[in-house]
Amino acid sequence: MKPERIEKYNLRNIHFEGTLFSRFTLGVNFVYTTGNIPAGNTSTDVEAYLPEVFFTLNSSKFQMFSSYAHKKTDVTANILYPVNFSSYGDGLYLSGNY
């Protein structure tokens, strides 16, 4: 079976994480991608950025994890969508155990 369309992406990631104290870890992550999405007789170029910061806290009775990420996507104009546009989004995740 042949797929109706094939999307091509070039994905890059960089990740740093370090323990500041014996029970506290802080980290950052950055994902960047470029892509091409075909639609009919034309295609759309996209770029997406996804920076994230996170931390973990562990003790004998309590564990906590939190992460915040912000996404930006840039889409170039084409015949179907004649205007460049950007979209943004934020996400926060928090988890705790006792």
Side-chain angles (χ1 to χ4, degrees):
M1 185 161 106
K2 183 179 176 186
E4 291 182 22
R5 73 177 193 195
I6 297 174
E7 299 179 8
K8 296 181 181 179
Y9 294 94
N10 189 357
L11 183 66
R12 297 171 189 92
N13 179 54
I14 189 165
H15 176 90
F16 292 105
E17 185 174 328
T19 301
L20 302 176
F21 305 101
S22 64
R23 298 175 184 201
F24 184 77
T25 302
L26 182 65
V28 293
N29 190 43
F30 183 77
V31 177
Y32 170 75
T33 188
T34 56
N36 183 273
I37 302 170
N41 295 331
T42 188
S43 64
T44 304
D45 292 325
V46 297
E47 278 186 309
Y49 310 85
L50 184 62
E52 174 193 23
V53 61
F54 61 91
F55 76 89
T56 58
L57 178 63
N58 291 303
S59 71
S60 61
K61 295 183 179 181
F62 180 78
Q63 295 92 30
M64 184 175 176
F65 174 81
S66 183
S67 173
Y68 170 77
H70 173 77
K71 180 183 176 190
K72 178 185 177 198
T73 304
D74 296 321
V75 179
T76 59
N78 62 24
I79 295 169
L80 297 174
Y81 306 101
V83 177
N84 292 340
F85 70 90
S86 297
S87 63
Y88 303 89
D90 294 290
L92 177 65
Y93 179 80
L94 181 62
S95 173
N97 295 309
Y98 178 75

